[in-house]
Amino acid sequence: MSRVKRGVTAHAKHKKVFKAAKGFYGRRKNTIRIAKQAVEKSMQYAYRDRKNKKRVFRALWIQRLNAAVRLHGLTYSRFIDGLGKAGIEIDRKVLSEMAIHEPAAFAAYVERAKASLPAQAA
């Protein structure tokens, strides 16, 4: 039986790892054993942070909405409650963008939300 020379396969595998490790510091970019560990860990971080990114952005939209709605004399929670009672189904991302770029349209949403809320006891 003839012997199998694996140099080509190994080189291809290493090339793939080194390509993913491009830009890393020190031996993490050019030593296969360390680069492999670094790339594996970076993939774990990437997977985790794709989930975290969604949370972070939602929190940002909520903060922006709270700030924008307070200018109209409401709080964020009462605004969202009012939208729900008014039957308006629009997500926080769009509302946040609207508050920044189209204040007049956003003000109309705030007024509709206010109208659907019961009068506040003072």
Side-chain angles (χ1 to χ4, degrees):
M1 181 182 261
S2 59
R3 107 175 209 251
V4 177
K5 294 172 77 180
R6 295 187 60 247
V8 175
T9 314
H11 184 68
K13 278 184 175 180
H14 290 185
K15 222 161 73 169
K16 198 165 105 178
V17 172
F18 288 136
K19 186 175 184 225
K22 199 174 184 82
F24 289 9
Y25 281 94
R27 291 196 307 166
R28 294 166 62 102
K29 72 174 173 286
N30 56 18
T31 306
I32 190 61
R33 190 178 298 174
I34 296 164
K36 204 170 181 180
Q37 290 171 3
V39 166
E40 238 173 66
K41 192 64 166 178
S42 73
M43 298 297 229
Q44 289 173 355
Y45 287 139
Y47 177 82
R48 179 197 70 190
D49 292 338
R50 277 195 299 275
K51 312 291 176 233
N52 287 355
K53 184 179 176 184
K54 292 166 182 58
R55 292 179 217 156
V56 169
F57 270 98
R58 185 180 170 96
L60 173 68
W61 299 328
I62 288 171
Q63 288 167 11
R64 284 179 177 172
L65 281 175
N66 195 16
V69 166
R70 283 179 186 268
L71 296 175
H72 297 282
L74 268 181
T75 62
Y76 166 78
S77 60
R78 290 196 36 87
F79 173 62
I80 292 297
D81 183 35
L83 286 179
K85 286 178 178 165
I88 300 170
E89 290 183 15
I90 186 166
D91 64 5
R92 286 154 182 81
K93 177 182 179 180
V94 174
L95 283 168
S96 168
E97 289 297 313
M98 197 178 286
I100 295 166
H101 300 295
E102 299 174 34
F106 182 73
Y109 275 112
V110 173
E111 291 310 315
R112 284 186 57 191
K114 262 188 193 176
S116 66
L117 287 171
Q120 216 174 359

